[in-house]
């Protein structure tokens, strides 16, 4: 029997954005055909599919969660089992594209190991939008995930990214929990060299999106919008 | 007088894909409103806008090129001048999203320096699609552009990416001119350690897209589709 296919299904980054404002209409065909979804959070995934107006009633769909609470090995086996039996599945993360900066890669990996076909769909990624809009080097860039939380390690990480950005001309992206953005931004202005370029990209793909790139010395005497609780990406270039 | 806005306008990656299959319908509003485009290649940009069926006649639009033949400083000044005079502009690259892996970042940078607003739109990126579909670490990854062409430097680069992928658990992406894919793939199977994981992602977002991830020792005795002249992304994980 032929295996099912694993589709990677993006959703909006922001609650303020309607699904079809940031997703190609052709994603709908795939979404309409599926009845099994592997999701980071069932509540937000149901809400997304419902706002997208897919063909099937949401209550007829099966949702299973894959997130940091799911224990790896055994749980992933079980998630993939229906695909081995010929059923296709959609992976949906909490925001943006799945399997980037979330646990979705575990199920993708399990599919490759078993020869199950994986198909990624187009959608919004704050990482990619930030690189595009930064004006920093887009021919070489690295996404580094979250900064360490403890102050000494955090400062070390920031200095490390600055050194690598300069030495390799590689733009260095990182993120922070949105309620810590203001503190992080202050710390960046303290720790980075005056000439180092820094991008702040906030609320990407949402109505109030805001991206600016300046040298650190210029950021120091600029007015900036309130960053508190606004999802943001930072890039050192 | 208020400045114009710089919009970053994605186009399809592949000629086989119709624009609205991979672009959100809301991009059209922006595309319909613009009459000035900064493009990597005028011929392909006109063709894209025409296939997208935008509101204005293509012959009424102004196109100026920004590519590796454009000399930096002075030329970029001239491209940005209309924005200072209140006219908005769209940046369009040869394939996929602009300002990533192409010269578009130069004009974005010039806009940030002058306080001109930059707005990125959603669209297909083979880099992002490859990370999503790889099953390799999507919490930390680096795009490294093209490999060096000369054999000794090329081998050094491949070994360097393998070491970094292992030491930092950072997925390492790179690309090659499509007519050299077969040779590169052979070289990767020779140089990389048996346990190193390798992703090959071909023809992303096109009808025949194909992505697989395996350990190098497994790739060695696998049948692979013909890679010659198919745009591909390679990832070491």
């Amino acid at each position: 029997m032929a295996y099912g296919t694993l589709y990677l299904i993006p959703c909006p980054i922001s609650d303020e954005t309607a699904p079809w404002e940031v997703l190609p209409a052709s994603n709908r065909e795939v979404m309409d055909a599926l009845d099994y979804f592997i999701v980071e959070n069932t509540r937000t995934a149901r809400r997304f599919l419902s706002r997208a107006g897919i063909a099937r009633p949401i209550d007829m769909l099966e949702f299973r969660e894959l997130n940091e609470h799911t224990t790896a090995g055994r749980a992933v086996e079980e998630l993939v089992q229906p695909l081995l039996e010929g059923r296709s599945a959609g992976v949906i993360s909490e925001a943006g594209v799945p399997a980037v900066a979330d646990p979705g890669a575990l199920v993708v990996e399990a599919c490759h190991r078993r020869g199950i076909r994986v198909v990624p769909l187009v959608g919004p990624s704050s990482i990619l939008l930030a690189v595009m809009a930064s004006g920093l080097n887009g021919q070489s860039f690295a996404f580094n995930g979250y900064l360490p939380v403890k102050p000494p390690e955090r400062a070390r990480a920031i200095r490390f990214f600055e050194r690598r950005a300069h030495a390799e001309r590689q733009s260095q992206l990182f993120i922070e929990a949105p309620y810590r953005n203001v503190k992080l931004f202050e710390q960046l202005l303290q720790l980075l060299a005056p000439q180092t370029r820094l991008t702040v990209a906030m609320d990407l793909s949402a109505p109030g999106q805001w991206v600016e790139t300046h040298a650190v010395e210029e950021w120091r005497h600029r007015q900036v919008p309130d960053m508190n609780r606004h999802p943001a990406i930072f890039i050192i270039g």
Side-chain angles (χ1 to χ4, degrees), chain A residues 37-44 63-67 69-70 75 79:
Chain A
F37 294 90
I38 300 166
V39 302
E40 202 177 351
N41 179 307
T42 303
R43 196 181 56 81
T44 55
F63 294 89
R64 299 201 208 163
E65 289 198 351
L66 172 69
N67 53 40
H69 309 297
T70 325
L79 293 172

Side-chain angles (χ1 to χ4, degrees), chain A residues 92-111:
Chain A
I92 302 176
S93 87
E94 283 232 51
V97 302
V100 175
D102 75 36
L106 285 175
V107 68
V108 177
E109 193 213 9
C111 286

Side-chain angles (χ1 to χ4, degrees), chain A residues 5-17:
Chain A
T5 297
L6 187 77
Y7 292 96
L8 305 174
I9 300 182
C11 63
I13 299 171
S14 158
D15 268 354
E16 296 174 71
T17 318

